[in-house]
Amino acid sequence: ARSRAAAGAALLPSMLMFGVILASSGLLLMIERGILAQMGPPPPHPPAGLSRRQGRDSAAELELEVLRDTRNRTIRALCGQRSMPRSVWELPAGQRRTVLRHLLVSDKYRFLYCYVPKVACSNWKRVLKVLHGALRSVDVKGRMDHTSDLVFLGDMTPEEISYRLKHYYKFIFVRNPMERLLSAYRNKFGEIKEYQQKYGVEIIRRYRKNGGSSAGDDVSFSEFLQYLLDEDVERMNEHWMPIYNLCQPCAVRYDFIGSYERLQADASHVLERIQSPSSVRFPQRQAWYKPVTAATLHYYLCNTPRRLIQELLPKYILDFSLFAYPLPNISSEFCRQ
């Protein structure tokens, strides 16, 4: 136990320093000057699949504890500043509508879940529907209906909203911001005609010469990022709006922040915490799903103008800093590998 404590003490200062620097206003200047490259990133999110007993005795579990401590300290430090909202009622009306529209309610199990598109939210919605008897099984095939048989906090009265925010268990799941953006890009512009027609055609019209004949299904990743750079965060589609803006972790004090990298293990923790029936489990990833791998992300980032990524970072910097994700490595040395 003493050796574990010593290891934790050794890891903690660098982790906390990483969190503090990420949250500081001088971050982008440090990126430009290359100072951040001299620091190590936080430990990687440990893989899912370890049993609880194995996890307690593993280095991965220790790293997870340090990661969560860093995340919690960074959130407290940022959210403790005077300019930050202390409750949803201190948010501007538009921001309040957004977060209340993304908080799903279970009165039966007394919890609130802030759903984040491209972070397994469809499977969480399936779980909610099974818990409330609207769906027979989480394995039921077919397209997910994202509104029916679900209760949104925004549909309640101010008194009902305040009571649930104060007394219910609140959780959220997060994901590496660049990985989430790439997942949204590949899914929406590679597979869904509605998004191709609504957003793809407009993106190509704006950023491509002689692109008037495009059906919106050939948007490049660079064009997509340029569109995000020019878009007002508060007006973004939810699939690429920053997690901070969707779920407002300063205005809503979440009891648990799970991560996409440990989806099964963290989901099991939540289901145990809300005392769901043992028959209800979190769905396994569908066989047809093509995840964003490290190699895929490397390819897209290294084939995108570096300037574009650097200029886009400020819009997602709170997602990187508050949830302790390393900034994307787009150095020439890394991209030559």
Side-chain angles (χ1 to χ4, degrees), residues 240-252:
W240 42 80
M241 182 182 283
I243 297 173
Y244 179 88
N245 298 81
L246 289 172
C247 295
Q248 296 288 343
C250 288
V252 179

PDB file of all heavy atoms in Angstrom, residues 240-252:
ATOM      1  N   TRP A 240     -21.409  18.494 -32.751  1.00  0.00           N
ATOM      2  CA  TRP A 240     -20.055  19.043 -32.657  1.00  0.00           C
ATOM      3  C   TRP A 240     -19.960  20.248 -31.735  1.00  0.00           C
ATOM      4  O   TRP A 240     -18.929  20.885 -31.624  1.00  0.00           O
ATOM      5  CB  TRP A 240     -19.501  19.383 -34.048  1.00  0.00           C
ATOM      6  CG  TRP A 240     -20.456  20.057 -35.003  1.00  0.00           C
ATOM      7  CD1 TRP A 240     -20.810  21.366 -35.047  1.00  0.00           C
ATOM      8  CD2 TRP A 240     -21.158  19.426 -36.092  1.00  0.00           C
ATOM      9  NE1 TRP A 240     -21.676  21.598 -36.068  1.00  0.00           N
ATOM     10  CE2 TRP A 240     -21.921  20.428 -36.752  1.00  0.00           C
ATOM     11  CE3 TRP A 240     -21.208  18.113 -36.604  1.00  0.00           C
ATOM     12  CZ2 TRP A 240     -22.718  20.171 -37.855  1.00  0.00           C
ATOM     13  CZ3 TRP A 240     -22.013  17.848 -37.694  1.00  0.00           C
ATOM     14  CH2 TRP A 240     -22.755  18.863 -38.311  1.00  0.00           C
ATOM     15  N   MET A 241     -21.023  20.568 -31.022  1.00  0.00           N
ATOM     16  CA  MET A 241     -20.937  21.595 -29.983  1.00  0.00           C
ATOM     17  C   MET A 241     -20.040  21.073 -28.860  1.00  0.00           C
ATOM     18  O   MET A 241     -20.120  19.887 -28.501  1.00  0.00           O
ATOM     19  CB  MET A 241     -22.325  21.923 -29.429  1.00  0.00           C
ATOM     20  CG  MET A 241     -22.314  23.034 -28.373  1.00  0.00           C
ATOM     21  SD  MET A 241     -23.965  23.379 -27.692  1.00  0.00           S
ATOM     22  CE  MET A 241     -24.689  24.347 -29.027  1.00  0.00           C
ATOM     23  N   PRO A 242     -19.166  21.911 -28.284  1.00  0.00           N
ATOM     24  CA  PRO A 242     -18.317  21.450 -27.181  1.00  0.00           C
ATOM     25  C   PRO A 242     -19.137  20.866 -26.032  1.00  0.00           C
ATOM     26  O   PRO A 242     -20.250  21.325 -25.750  1.00  0.00           O
ATOM     27  CB  PRO A 242     -17.585  22.737 -26.741  1.00  0.00           C
ATOM     28  CG  PRO A 242     -17.553  23.583 -27.982  1.00  0.00           C
ATOM     29  CD  PRO A 242     -18.861  23.307 -28.684  1.00  0.00           C
ATOM     30  N   ILE A 243     -18.569  19.866 -25.377  1.00  0.00           N
ATOM     31  CA  ILE A 243     -19.256  19.218 -24.259  1.00  0.00           C
ATOM     32  C   ILE A 243     -19.557  20.239 -23.157  1.00  0.00           C
ATOM     33  O   ILE A 243     -20.610  20.192 -22.523  1.00  0.00           O
ATOM     34  CB  ILE A 243     -18.411  18.049 -23.712  1.00  0.00           C
ATOM     35  CG1 ILE A 243     -18.234  16.972 -24.798  1.00  0.00           C
ATOM     36  CG2 ILE A 243     -19.048  17.452 -22.467  1.00  0.00           C
ATOM     37  CD1 ILE A 243     -17.273  15.868 -24.415  1.00  0.00           C
ATOM     38  N   TYR A 244     -18.619  21.162 -22.937  1.00  0.00           N
ATOM     39  CA  TYR A 244     -18.836  22.170 -21.905  1.00  0.00           C
ATOM     40  C   TYR A 244     -20.131  22.928 -22.154  1.00  0.00           C
ATOM     41  O   TYR A 244     -20.927  23.146 -21.233  1.00  0.00           O
ATOM     42  CB  TYR A 244     -17.662  23.153 -21.855  1.00  0.00           C
ATOM     43  CG  TYR A 244     -17.856  24.227 -20.813  1.00  0.00           C
ATOM     44  CD1 TYR A 244     -17.434  24.029 -19.501  1.00  0.00           C
ATOM     45  CD2 TYR A 244     -18.498  25.428 -21.124  1.00  0.00           C
ATOM     46  CE1 TYR A 244     -17.646  25.000 -18.525  1.00  0.00           C
ATOM     47  CE2 TYR A 244     -18.712  26.402 -20.155  1.00  0.00           C
ATOM     48  CZ  TYR A 244     -18.284  26.184 -18.867  1.00  0.00           C
ATOM     49  OH  TYR A 244     -18.504  27.138 -17.898  1.00  0.00           O
ATOM     50  N   ASN A 245     -20.373  23.327 -23.387  1.00  0.00           N
ATOM     51  CA  ASN A 245     -21.574  24.101 -23.707  1.00  0.00           C
ATOM     52  C   ASN A 245     -22.836  23.259 -23.647  1.00  0.00           C
ATOM     53  O   ASN A 245     -23.917  23.757 -23.332  1.00  0.00           O
ATOM     54  CB  ASN A 245     -21.436  24.733 -25.083  1.00  0.00           C
ATOM     55  CG  ASN A 245     -20.280  25.713 -25.152  1.00  0.00           C
ATOM     56  OD1 ASN A 245     -19.134  25.314 -25.305  1.00  0.00           O
ATOM     57  ND2 ASN A 245     -20.558  26.996 -25.001  1.00  0.00           N
ATOM     58  N   LEU A 246     -22.717  21.973 -23.968  1.00  0.00           N
ATOM     59  CA  LEU A 246     -23.881  21.094 -23.910  1.00  0.00           C
ATOM     60  C   LEU A 246     -24.317  20.820 -22.468  1.00  0.00           C
ATOM     61  O   LEU A 246     -25.513  20.801 -22.177  1.00  0.00           O
ATOM     62  CB  LEU A 246     -23.568  19.761 -24.593  1.00  0.00           C
ATOM     63  CG  LEU A 246     -23.434  19.743 -26.111  1.00  0.00           C
ATOM     64  CD1 LEU A 246     -22.940  18.378 -26.574  1.00  0.00           C
ATOM     65  CD2 LEU A 246     -24.766  20.064 -26.782  1.00  0.00           C
ATOM     66  N   CYS A 247     -23.358  20.603 -21.580  1.00  0.00           N
ATOM     67  CA  CYS A 247     -23.683  20.085 -20.250  1.00  0.00           C
ATOM     68  C   CYS A 247     -23.312  21.001 -19.090  1.00  0.00           C
ATOM     69  O   CYS A 247     -23.669  20.704 -17.950  1.00  0.00           O
ATOM     70  CB  CYS A 247     -23.022  18.716 -20.050  1.00  0.00           C
ATOM     71  SG  CYS A 247     -23.665  17.454 -21.179  1.00  0.00           S
ATOM     72  N   GLN A 248     -22.599  22.099 -19.351  1.00  0.00           N
ATOM     73  CA  GLN A 248     -22.327  23.133 -18.348  1.00  0.00           C
ATOM     74  C   GLN A 248     -21.884  22.567 -16.991  1.00  0.00           C
ATOM     75  O   GLN A 248     -22.589  22.678 -15.979  1.00  0.00           O
ATOM     76  CB  GLN A 248     -23.576  24.003 -18.161  1.00  0.00           C
ATOM     77  CG  GLN A 248     -23.997  24.779 -19.379  1.00  0.00           C
ATOM     78  CD  GLN A 248     -23.062  25.941 -19.716  1.00  0.00           C
ATOM     79  OE1 GLN A 248     -22.269  26.362 -18.883  1.00  0.00           O
ATOM     80  NE2 GLN A 248     -23.157  26.454 -20.941  1.00  0.00           N
ATOM     81  N   PRO A 249     -20.685  21.969 -16.924  1.00  0.00           N
ATOM     82  CA  PRO A 249     -20.241  21.339 -15.676  1.00  0.00           C
ATOM     83  C   PRO A 249     -19.973  22.301 -14.526  1.00  0.00           C
ATOM     84  O   PRO A 249     -19.753  21.835 -13.401  1.00  0.00           O
ATOM     85  CB  PRO A 249     -18.952  20.611 -16.101  1.00  0.00           C
ATOM     86  CG  PRO A 249     -18.481  21.332 -17.310  1.00  0.00           C
ATOM     87  CD  PRO A 249     -19.716  21.784 -18.023  1.00  0.00           C
ATOM     88  N   CYS A 250     -19.980  23.622 -14.763  1.00  0.00           N
ATOM     89  CA  CYS A 250     -19.884  24.559 -13.641  1.00  0.00           C
ATOM     90  C   CYS A 250     -21.261  24.831 -13.043  1.00  0.00           C
ATOM     91  O   CYS A 250     -21.409  24.967 -11.830  1.00  0.00           O
ATOM     92  CB  CYS A 250     -19.237  25.871 -14.102  1.00  0.00           C
ATOM     93  SG  CYS A 250     -17.467  25.741 -14.451  1.00  0.00           S
ATOM     94  N   ALA A 251     -22.263  24.913 -13.898  1.00  0.00           N
ATOM     95  CA  ALA A 251     -23.625  25.199 -13.437  1.00  0.00           C
ATOM     96  C   ALA A 251     -24.310  23.949 -12.896  1.00  0.00           C
ATOM     97  O   ALA A 251     -25.240  24.040 -12.090  1.00  0.00           O
ATOM     98  CB  ALA A 251     -24.450  25.791 -14.580  1.00  0.00           C
ATOM     99  N   VAL A 252     -23.876  22.769 -13.348  1.00  0.00           N
ATOM    100  CA  VAL A 252     -24.428  21.500 -12.879  1.00  0.00           C
ATOM    101  C   VAL A 252     -23.292  20.702 -12.240  1.00  0.00           C
ATOM    102  O   VAL A 252     -22.310  20.377 -12.912  1.00  0.00           O
ATOM    103  CB  VAL A 252     -25.049  20.683 -14.040  1.00  0.00           C
ATOM    104  CG1 VAL A 252     -25.595  19.354 -13.529  1.00  0.00           C
ATOM    105  CG2 VAL A 252     -26.151  21.491 -14.733  1.00  0.00           C
TER     106      VAL A 252
END
